Amino acid sequence: MARLFTKEQHDYLVSFQVGKTAKEVAEMMNEKYGLSLTPLQIKNYKRNNGLKSGLDGRFQKGNIPFNKGKKFPNTPPNSGQFQKGNKPHGWVPVGTIRYTTDGYPRVKVADPDKWEFCHRKEWERHYGPIPKGHGIAFLNGDKTNWNISNLVLLSNNEVIRMNSNHYFTPDAELTRSGIGVVKLNNKLKELKEDRQSVNNNK
């Protein structure tokens, strides 16, 4: 895991991980860098690098209570529950857009609380499901512009190489050029490895 992260990715993780669960950290890292990290990988990485989230194990927002959906015989009807037809505090309608702490817009797609990232939803609307090991990047770096013309599908490896070479720029065309360089270098590397494999099998 330590080898997977660039210094930039490590520093970014350190900058926001305090107060976040491993699941939240994994989601934010995956969205920013197009990775496919799991909460367990984040837990192991934090442990190996001595990072503490500051969470004390008490009930966290978003966790499911142990008694959700259970019925208790001595509890009056609707005790502690919302009346039918009432909306819980903080409820917003489907279609509402909110931003994550990292600036990514999400849209509410269903009740009671189902959200999707706007750029991923837009990509899938045009091209279908995003392949495993891939992510969607913004060509001009503007997370608020999820128009399909500003989005590009990249593999995790390509995202890492784009970041390490600082090929992501505010200029969409320059970013496209950087992507072309990364894809070309990856192809040349594959051809070199194939040639070596053939020579070794002779």
Side-chain angles (χ1 to χ4, degrees), residues 16-34:
F16 75 83
Q17 64 90 26
V18 174
K20 298 282 193 305
T21 64
K23 182 175 183 295
E24 291 172 326
V25 173
E27 289 177 349
M28 293 174 70
M29 291 294 292
N30 290 342
E31 283 306 311
K32 184 173 179 64
Y33 294 108

Side-chain angles (χ1 to χ4, degrees), residues 171-187:
D171 187 316
E173 291 308 311
L174 284 179
T175 300
R176 286 186 186 278
S177 297
I179 292 172
V181 171
V182 167
K183 288 184 178 292
L184 177 60
N185 287 338
N186 282 349
K187 188 62 178 179

Side-chain angles (χ1 to χ4, degrees), residues 39-82:
L40 179 59
Q41 287 176 307
I42 293 297
K43 287 181 180 179
N44 291 336
Y45 184 82
K46 289 169 63 177
R47 184 183 66 249
N48 294 338
N49 288 271
L51 300 175
K52 304 292 184 180
S53 67
L55 299 178
D56 57 9
R58 290 181 294 185
F59 186 81
Q60 299 296 324
K61 182 179 181 181
N63 288 352
I64 300 176
F66 77 96
N67 60 348
K68 181 178 181 181
K70 293 184 178 180
K71 296 182 179 180
F72 299 90
N74 297 323
T75 303
N78 293 323
S79 176
Q81 301 177 357
F82 292 104

Side-chain angles (χ1 to χ4, degrees), residues 31 96-108 115-121 138 142-146:
E31 283 306 311
T96 297
I97 293 176
R98 285 182 173 174
Y99 290 81
T100 66
T101 55
D102 199 36
Y104 287 92
R106 297 195 306 169
V107 59
K108 185 175 181 180
W115 298 74
E116 291 182 10
F117 286 97
C118 293
H119 61 293
R120 294 176 66 88
K121 186 173 185 294
F138 300 87
D142 182 1
K143 300 171 187 175
T144 65
N145 178 8
W146 60 87

Side-chain angles (χ1 to χ4, degrees), residues 116-127 146-149 151:
E116 291 182 10
F117 286 97
C118 293
H119 61 293
R120 294 176 66 88
K121 186 173 185 294
E122 180 68 5
W123 179 272
E124 292 183 337
R125 186 172 73 85
H126 285 268
Y127 301 112
W146 60 87
N147 185 283
I148 192 64
S149 63
L151 304 179

